[in-house]
Amino acid sequence: MSAPLFTLGQLAERLGATLRGAADKPINGLATLQEAGPDQLSFLANPQYRKFLADTRAGAVLLTPADAEGYAGDALLIDNPYLAYARLSHLFDRKPQAVPGQIHPSAVIAADAQVDPSASIGAYAVIESGAQIGPGVSIGAHCFIGARSVIGEGGWLAPRVTLYHDVKIGKRVVIQSGAVIGGEGFGFAKEQGAWQKIAQIGGVTIGDDVEIGANTTIDRGALSDTLIGNGVKLDNQIMIAHNVQVGDHTAMAACCGISGSAKIGKHCMLAGGVGLVGHIEICDGVFITGMTMVTRSITEPGAYSSGTAMQPAAEWKKSAARIRQLDDMARRLQQLEKRLAAVTSAGDASSDV
């Protein structure tokens, strides 16, 4: 399948951008400043890449008016080039599209499952009793949709997605391969040195316009549902434990681990490898930097970090040794402060005589 063809003028009109150059110039794709050819559109969003602008072969570049000064080539001028690139990327997306209403003969669908006539069901997919598949939903090959689970309008499941029973998915939700939604939470009670399993009888409820990355897992609730708000974006290989709540439009990068019953507010950002202990709350508008371990609630918006920055191994070993000495150093400092206070007090008393 050949890439779609547009003119520079058509793209400018779609974006509401100011056109500088030939409106009829054909644009046949998107590429970086370093790799773009004469029929491709590029963009400059990060100042670190400005050095490539002068020598780019791109047919046109998405630029802010300020960055366009001194650039002689064709351009689309817009305040946010990266957002403009994101919007145009869908025009050139070559991802195969499902055929509405097509159900592969090998799919296994329970007699009482409700599948909208416009939905697409891939090869060897399984849809269990009482499940509901909404309009325009695309279910990839080898997906499993458990009993009584619901997928809202416009949902897209890549191959090999697993939804356990009683999972509720909102509208326009994207779930990548290997994701498991509604698996049993890690719940056990100890009895005489042995672990007794606790039945996880809640479900998972996911809002509208959510994206869930490959091999990410979201456990079902122990009693009430695990909750994922509208517009949440989850990267690959994230673990969300039972009864976690994630607020609207929060985003998490890969390998985050969220322990049971933690509550994360709206419009938060968690960088890669962040970990949260259970039963804490993160307020709205919090940014947590990569590999941070959050061990207590955060009540004020802002950026938070833990751990130490990278340094040469030899220096890190010295720092680690000093960290182990901190408790002893603190005790000695307290003793010195007490002695100094005693000496100061004695001196003040003698001066009064």
Side-chain angles (χ1 to χ4, degrees):
M1 183 180 69
S2 61
L5 180 67
F6 300 91
T7 66
L8 193 57
Q10 288 172 330
L11 298 182
E13 185 176 356
R14 280 179 176 268
L15 294 173
T18 300
L19 171 64
R20 196 179 74 181
D24 61 349
K25 174 178 282 189
I27 299 296
N28 204 38
L30 300 172
T32 65
L33 288 170
Q34 305 96 298
E35 298 173 346
D39 65 343
Q40 292 177 306
L41 179 70
S42 190
F43 64 97
L44 175 61
N46 188 327
Q48 293 182 354
Y49 293 93
R50 187 176 178 83
K51 59 188 176 184
F52 300 115
L53 182 60
D55 297 326
T56 186
R57 296 175 58 248
V61 183
L62 290 160
L63 294 168
T64 65
D67 284 332
E69 293 180 9
Y71 177 64
D74 289 355
L76 298 180
L77 308 185
I78 197 161
D79 290 337
N80 190 335
Y82 192 68
L83 180 59
Y85 150 70
R87 289 173 174 167
L88 293 183
S89 66
H90 298 281
L91 300 178
F92 301 95
D93 187 2
R94 300 185 67 181
K95 179 172 61 181
Q97 299 298 311
V99 178
Q102 185 177 77
I103 298 178
H104 195 276
S106 63
V108 178
I109 302 174
D112 63 345
Q114 299 177 33
V115 178
D116 189 273
S118 63
S120 170
I121 313 297
Y124 300 103
V126 175
I127 301 175
E128 289 198 322
S129 176
Q132 300 177 39
I133 311 301
V137 170
S138 175
I139 295 177
H142 294 278
C143 285
F144 176 86
I145 312 302
R148 300 177 301 279
S149 286
V150 177
I151 303 175
E153 180 179 356
W156 184 86
L157 276 61
R160 295 188 301 104
V161 169
T162 297
L163 305 186
Y164 279 57
H165 58 284
D166 297 309
V167 171
K168 303 178 186 67
I169 306 290
K171 299 177 181 178
R172 300 174 298 277
V173 171
V174 172
I175 307 179
Q176 302 293 345
S177 293
V180 178
I181 315 299
E184 293 189 345
F186 192 65
F188 299 88
K190 206 166 190 180
E191 180 185 22
Q192 298 179 351
W195 295 105
Q196 300 298 322
K197 186 175 182 62
I198 300 171
Q200 305 293 290
I201 60 178
V204 177
T205 298
I206 294 175
D208 298 337
D209 302 302
V210 172
E211 299 213 10
I212 299 170
N215 295 322
T216 283
T217 56
I218 304 175
D219 287 348
R220 67 191 314 103
L223 293 172
S224 57
D225 287 2
T226 300
L227 302 175
I228 308 297
N230 296 324
V232 169
K233 309 302 181 187
L234 302 177
D235 199 358
N236 301 335
Q237 296 180 322
I238 289 171
M239 168 61 199
I240 295 180
H242 58 188
N243 294 110
V244 167
Q245 298 181 35
V246 180
D248 295 350
H249 305 292
T250 281
M252 299 184 200
C255 299
C256 288
I258 314 301
S259 299
S261 298
K263 184 177 180 180
I264 301 172
K266 301 176 182 178
H267 300 284
C268 293
M269 296 176 63
L270 279 61
V274 167
L276 269 65
V277 302
H279 304 277
I280 63 172
E281 295 192 15
I282 308 299
C283 69
D284 298 346
V286 168
F287 171 59
I288 303 175
T289 61
M291 301 300 291
T292 295
M293 185 64 201
V294 184
T295 58
R296 58 184 174 83
S297 294
I298 297 175
T299 58
E300 295 290 336
Y304 294 83
S305 301
S306 73
T308 58
M310 184 188 71
Q311 57 188 144
E315 294 181 14
W316 179 85
K317 289 179 181 178
K318 292 178 182 178
S319 297
R322 293 189 178 102
I323 289 172
R324 289 196 296 268
Q325 297 167 358
L326 285 177
D327 185 63
D328 181 61
M329 292 172 64
R331 293 175 187 275
R332 291 163 60 189
L333 180 59
Q334 288 176 347
Q335 291 174 356
L336 288 172
E337 288 175 340
K338 289 179 180 178
R339 291 177 185 176
L340 179 60
V343 171
T344 302
S345 178
D348 290 343
S350 63
S351 65
D352 291 339
V353 176

